[in-house]
């Protein structure tokens, strides 16, 4: 008998307000054409005044719970990937716990920037497999536009707000190696922090700060790091790109997605793309894209999903799971 985690529901939420490329072109020197050609982005959602990361996370979590057909009282673990917490402390996950009316279990945040959802999934999966918890909400949620410098055209066109969630539960039985959540490879390299960071923080400046990025240098590392994480996952499992039903990547830039898909021989028809509609929502982008794939009827129970991310840190990783 083995213990394995399984995904049993997905959900997502996007703030109502949409900010188009044309609107951005009236704020900084850019154009709809430049943004679409260099990134694939057409629009992004922006949280309303007073709408918190925990509100977005809770809305996504409720939809994932509905999809799983369970009540919040059945959850005993919440792991939330976010770079934009409600407050410095307590963890935003505990605000979600309270908003869902939960009084038991444990809830905490993970900070791995755009890789936050994959790091959260790997953490929750490990804790479930170990028998520490039975059923988890794994969430990625951001109000990323709050750390944007709206006068910096190199970053302000790239990001958006949103949230996505999955319910995962531990089951015991004799499983085939490729059932449920199969494996993860997560990595970081702190020596590259100066290429992508926020120029503020509690113990440094005492301010929130803004995103700073050397985009073209990040781009080059992104394709290489993501590809190596995916290759590690495929090598470990003995699976090939042909076995994958859907590739659900972090949505940073369509050119990065195309570069990785080409390098790994994944046909475009298998790639879930939401970057055009959502832009880069950091830790939220993978669960948003996954929920989009499920609700649009493309990804179905039993499908094999490969996911990857790369973000500040640098942090990066890949996960493989069967829906
Ligand atoms: N509109 C018009 N021109 C622009 C804009 C803009 N919004 N932004 C930059 N430019 C200009 C630059 O100033 C530069 O002009 P110059 O040649 O006169 O100096 C020119 O466009 C080219 O700039 P590059 O930075 O070389 O453009 P590039 O093709 O690399 O595209 C981009 C920039 C879209 C940022 C790309 O590098 C990218 O997507 N990088 C990766 C981002 C990423 O994946 N981040 C990781 C996740 S984020 C996270 O973890 C928080």
């Amino acid at each position: 008998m083995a213990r394995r985690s399984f995904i049993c529901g997905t959900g997502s939420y996007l703030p109502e307000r949409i900010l188009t490329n044309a609107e951005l072109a009236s704020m900084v020197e850019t154009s709809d054409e430049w943004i679409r050609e260099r990134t694939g982005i057409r629009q992004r959602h922006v949280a309303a005044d007073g709408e918190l990361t925990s509100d977005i996370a809770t809305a996504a979590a409720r939809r994932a719970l509905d999809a799983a057909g369970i009540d919040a009282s059945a959850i005993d673990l919440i792991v939330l990937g976010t770079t934009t917490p409600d407050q410095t402390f307590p963890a935003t996950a505990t605000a979600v716990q309270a908003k869902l009316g939960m009084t038991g279990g444990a809830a905490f945040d993970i900070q791995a920037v755009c890789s936050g959802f994959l790091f959260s999934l790997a953490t929750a999966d490990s804790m479930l497999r170990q028998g520490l918890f039975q059923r988890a909400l794994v969430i990625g949620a951001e109000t990323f536009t709050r750390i944007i410098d709206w006068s910096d055209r190199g970053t302000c066109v790239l990001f958006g707000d949103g949230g996505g969630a999955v319910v995962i539960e531990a089951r015991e039985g004799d499983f085939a190696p490729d059932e449920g959540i199969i494996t993860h490879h997560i990595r970081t390299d702190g020596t590259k922090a100066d290429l992508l960071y926020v120029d503020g923080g509690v113990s440094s400046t005492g301010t929130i700060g803004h995103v700073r990025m050397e985009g073209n240098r990040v781009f080059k590392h992104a394709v290489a790091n993501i590809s190596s994480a995916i290759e590690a996952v495929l090598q470990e499992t003995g699976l090939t790109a042909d076995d994958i039903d859907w590739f659900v990547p972090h949505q940073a830039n369509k050119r990065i997605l195309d570069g990785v898909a080409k390098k790994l021989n994944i046909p475009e028809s298998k790639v879930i793309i939401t970057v055009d509609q959502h832009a880069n929502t950091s830790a939220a982008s993978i669960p948003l894209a996954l929920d989009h794939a499920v609700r649009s009827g493309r990804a179905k129970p039993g499908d094999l999903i490969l996911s990857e991310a790369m973000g500040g840190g640098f942090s990066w990783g890949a996960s493989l799971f069967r829906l």
Side-chain angles (χ1 to χ4, degrees), residues 173-191:
D174 296 316
F175 302 114
D178 63 350
E179 278 185 84
I181 300 179
I182 301 163
T183 193
H184 319 269
H185 278 249
I186 56 172
R187 300 285 180 269
T188 58
D189 175 2
T191 66

Side-chain angles (χ1 to χ4, degrees), residues 69-285:
I70 59 166
D71 187 76
S73 58
I75 299 291
D76 55 2
L77 175 67
I78 300 176
V79 185
L80 168 64
T82 189
T83 304
T84 47
D86 292 2
Q87 292 159 271
T88 303
F89 84 82
T92 302
T94 59
V96 175
Q97 185 187 27
K99 285 175 184 179
L100 290 174
M102 293 165 55
T103 50
F108 58 89
D109 295 353
I110 286 201
Q111 163 58 293
V113 203
C114 296
S115 309
F117 179 76
L118 288 193
F119 278 53
S120 298
L121 185 64
T123 303
D125 175 34
S126 305
M127 294 178 104
L128 259 57
R129 278 185 192 236
Q130 230 191 323
L132 293 176
F133 299 97
Q134 185 56 34
R135 221 168 273 111
L137 264 169
V138 185
I139 309 171
E142 302 278 12
T143 46
F144 210 86
T145 60
R146 304 240 162 96
I147 51 169
I148 294 300
D149 173 355
W150 293 103
S151 66
D152 175 11
R153 69 176 183 174
T155 52
C156 77
V157 302
L158 301 175
F159 296 97
D161 301 332
V166 298
V167 174
I168 68 173
E169 77 174 5
R171 293 180 196 157
E172 283 180 12
D174 296 316
F175 302 114
D178 63 350
E179 278 185 84
I181 300 179
I182 301 163
T183 193
H184 319 269
H185 278 249
I186 56 172
R187 300 285 180 269
T188 58
D189 175 2
T191 66
K192 305 290 187 306
D194 58 330
L195 299 182
L196 175 55
Y197 63 100
V198 163
D199 61 1
V202 179
S203 80
S204 53
T205 60
T207 60
I208 295 169
H210 293 114
V211 176
R212 303 294 171 207
M213 176 166 74
E214 287 195 39
N216 48 11
R217 291 182 66 194
V218 174
F219 193 106
K220 284 173 196 139
H221 285 285
V223 176
N225 287 346
I226 292 165
S227 301
S228 79
I230 291 175
E231 275 157 7
V233 158
L234 294 178
Q235 200 174 10
E236 180 198 326
T237 55
L239 294 164
T240 69
D242 286 346
D243 297 311
I244 307 301
D245 293 302
W246 296 104
F247 180 44
V248 183
H250 168 51
Q251 311 279 322
N253 182 322
K254 174 119 184 352
R255 281 159 55 215
I256 297 179
L257 309 193
D258 291 345
V260 172
K262 196 171 163 206
K263 199 163 176 210
L264 298 162
N265 281 326
I266 300 171
E268 205 177 337
S269 57
K270 288 185 176 183
V271 184
I272 301 296
I273 294 168
T274 53
V275 69
D276 55 331
Q277 300 298 312
H278 306 164
N280 180 350
T281 56
S282 189
S285 94

